[in-house]
Amino acid sequence: LRSYFTAKSFEDGLEKICNQNGLRVIKEDGIYYIISDKSVIESLIQDEMEWCKINLEHVKASKFVDIVSKLYGKIENIILPDEYSFLIKINKERYKEILKLKEEVDIEIKNYVINLKYIKGEEAIKYIPSSVDRTNLFVTEDNSCIYFRGTESMYKVLAEQIELCDRPVQRISYDI
């Protein structure tokens, strides 16, 4: 008999296998001890799967479910008609993990305009740090401003960087 499942680590996988068979794993000094424990089976029964609804604001449910599937393997789900919410069959512990993931992934992406005073848009892009994804930057035809698509925090970082380089050219004048 062969079975396949995904786990975050060896310890997590070993614990899943043992729990399903009514065993407990104890690790001491790098040695794994596997012992019989009926309370593990009782905790599995209490930790039953149930349908939970998750509402998203900015990311479509289909994309979020893809991320969840890559992290946790195949999980039974139903995407609802509004495209921003879905039902998922999971236990309470996994539900809490997915809600934490939602906070990290479901963020608002906006378009921002950065007006330039002294330098051209193409020049400003050259000075932007590598932490800013250049695929989210668009220069207007007249080179007077840059459009940025991203989060508000990334916009603030970008605006600060551009402010540093969008300065008038210093000129030296001599009085004769």
Side-chain angles (χ1 to χ4, degrees):
L1 177 68
R2 233 182 226 186
S3 63
Y4 173 80
F5 63 92
T6 58
K8 292 180 182 178
S9 66
F10 171 76
E11 285 82 11
D12 187 39
L14 181 60
E15 188 176 328
K16 282 182 183 179
I17 292 170
C18 290
N19 285 348
Q20 290 172 353
N21 293 294
L23 303 170
R24 180 182 300 208
V25 178
I26 299 171
K27 182 181 177 183
E28 283 190 35
D29 299 325
I31 299 173
Y32 294 94
Y33 297 95
I34 300 174
I35 57 173
S36 179
D37 189 354
K38 291 185 180 186
S39 66
V40 172
I41 294 174
E42 291 171 6
S43 70
L44 282 175
I45 293 169
Q46 293 172 355
D47 208 20
E48 290 180 14
M49 306 284 233
E50 58 185 58
W51 286 99
C52 301
K53 183 177 180 182
I54 297 180
N55 296 311
L56 303 167
E57 294 179 31
H58 309 292
V59 176
K60 289 194 175 186
S62 58
K63 289 186 178 184
F64 188 78
V65 167
D66 287 343
I67 295 169
V68 170
S69 296
K70 287 179 183 172
L71 289 173
Y72 300 109
K74 179 129 175 80
I75 297 177
E76 197 172 349
N77 65 76
I78 300 169
I79 297 175
L80 299 176
D82 70 354
E83 294 183 349
Y84 288 95
S85 56
F86 63 98
L87 297 172
I88 189 165
K89 192 172 188 178
I90 51 177
N91 61 29
K92 292 174 186 173
E93 183 181 314
R94 184 69 41 95
Y95 179 69
K96 290 176 185 175
E97 291 175 13
I98 290 176
L99 288 179
K100 286 181 185 176
L101 177 67
K102 175 190 165 196
E103 290 175 12
E104 295 175 14
V105 174
D106 191 29
I107 54 176
E108 186 174 16
I109 303 292
K110 287 184 176 180
N111 293 321
Y112 298 93
V113 177
I114 300 172
N115 293 311
L116 302 171
K117 296 177 185 175
Y118 303 104
I119 61 173
K120 294 182 179 182
E122 294 170 356
E123 288 178 44
I125 289 177
K126 291 179 188 175
Y127 299 112
I128 293 172
S130 59
S131 63
V132 177
D133 185 9
R134 285 177 167 71
T135 59
N136 293 327
L137 296 171
F138 308 95
V139 180
T140 59
E141 287 183 22
D142 66 351
N143 262 335
S144 65
C145 60
I146 297 174
Y147 290 104
F148 171 70
R149 180 171 170 76
T151 63
E152 185 177 356
S153 61
M154 285 302 296
Y155 166 71
K156 289 177 181 177
V157 169
L158 178 64
E160 287 174 6
Q161 291 297 319
I162 289 182
E163 188 178 318
L164 292 174
C165 63
D166 190 21
R167 306 225 179 225
V169 177
Q170 292 186 358
R171 298 173 193 241
I172 299 173
S173 62
Y174 294 101
D175 292 330
I176 301 181

